[in-house]
Amino acid sequence: MSKQAISLFTARRTQYALGKNLPIAESEVDALIRQAIRLAPSSFNSQSSRAVILFGAASEHLWKNITKEILRPMVPADAFASTDAKMDSFAAGAGTVLFYEDQATIQDLQQKFPLYADNFPTFSEHSAGMAQFAVWTALAEAGIGASLQHYAPLIDAEVARNWDVPASWKLRAQMPFGSNEQPFAEKTFIADEQRFKTVR
Ligand SMILES: Cc1cc2nc3c(=O)[nH]c(=O)nc-3n(C[C@H](O)[C@H](O)[C@H](O)COP(=O)(O)O)c2cc1C
């Protein structure tokens, strides 16, 4: 059995301690993210995933201005310090991938394949997860750390206004990325008996 895939999956971890020292050029990171999303599978090859890739000041604006200021009135004042620090830690990275699913693509599929109409929104969510995993793993292979965040729908309108995002794109996740500034936390695993059955 080739262990290459497993070693890549092992390398993909959640990294919160991000810095700006990317090991490869921004243009290469951009190309990597695009290719990972292109190659990710989707139902009926509908390619419903979309992405807005933010670098530098744009990524900082997302976390330090947009998300932080939307959260400020929602979080109790005495608890805001940790939110503030968390937003700053995402802004400390080199960029953020915004993962979207195109709702127009889903509606098209529902019209073309009425038998599966109820399933397409779920399939789209599955495709989104696959695109996220593909990008996360590709970044890890390039030595770039990342985490997966969920601030939609709170930030959707402001993000769309800032970067002219089409109305049919629905924000599903945000992935801040950058240099790995700390070792990864230890990961624990539940017992195999709780999750697997092999039957012959
Ligand atoms: C569907 C999904 C949603 C997640 N949402 C968040 C999130 O909102 N914030 C966060 O910090 N991590 C989030 N994570 C990351 C998980 O906490 C993390 O992957 C898990 O603890 C295992 O750690 P690892 O990524 O280092 O393997 C999410 C992961 C998945 C797959």
Side-chain angles (χ1 to χ4, degrees):
M1 180 177 82
S2 163
K3 297 208 165 58
Q4 236 179 330
I6 299 299
S7 105
L8 286 179
F9 300 159
T10 308
R12 183 225 50 80
R13 293 297 314 283
T14 291
Q15 177 59 273
Y16 296 116
L18 299 172
K20 301 208 184 286
N21 303 309
L22 287 175
I24 56 176
E26 278 186 4
S27 58
E28 289 179 77
V29 179
D30 190 75
L32 195 65
I33 292 165
R34 288 170 181 234
Q35 187 67 340
I37 293 174
R38 268 186 217 111
L39 293 173
S42 58
S43 72
F44 291 76
N45 196 29
S46 55
Q47 299 165 68
S48 52
S49 298
R50 305 283 183 269
V52 174
I53 304 162
L54 307 175
F55 283 100
S59 180
E60 285 178 12
H61 186 58
L62 170 72
W63 297 115
K64 277 185 170 286
N65 303 318
I66 298 176
T67 313
K68 194 186 280 192
E69 292 315 318
I70 286 170
L71 290 175
R72 194 185 294 276
M74 307 179 75
V75 177
D78 57 349
F80 193 72
S82 79
T83 302
D84 195 37
K86 198 195 263 190
M87 296 303 118
D88 288 352
S89 75
F90 300 147
T96 302
V97 188
L98 304 175
F99 289 92
Y100 291 84
E101 286 291 305
D102 181 35
Q103 303 306 298
T105 303
I106 297 167
Q107 285 151 18
D108 261 13
L109 285 165
Q110 288 176 318
Q111 274 163 16
K112 275 191 201 127
F113 305 103
L115 195 61
Y116 296 103
D118 291 351
N119 290 326
F120 285 121
T122 309
F123 289 164
S124 156
E125 295 297 298
H126 296 176
S127 301
M130 296 204 187
Q132 291 155 27
F133 182 73
V135 169
W136 203 346
T137 307
L139 290 174
E141 192 196 17
I144 296 168
S147 74
L148 191 61
Q149 302 302 321
H150 296 90
Y151 290 97
L154 290 177
I155 61 172
D156 296 24
E158 197 55 17
V159 167
R161 200 181 61 74
N162 262 267
W163 294 296
D164 202 17
V165 179
S168 66
W169 294 18
K170 185 176 178 188
L171 183 59
R172 307 314 297 132
Q174 307 83 47
M175 185 174 285
F177 61 85
S179 44
N180 286 302
E181 298 297 330
Q182 270 179 35
F184 298 109
E186 199 178 331
K187 185 166 176 171
T188 57
F189 298 90
I190 60 170
D192 278 6
E193 300 76 62
Q194 288 177 43
R195 34 185 355 186
F196 308 118
K197 281 187 194 298
T198 303
V199 181
R200 293 188 178 83

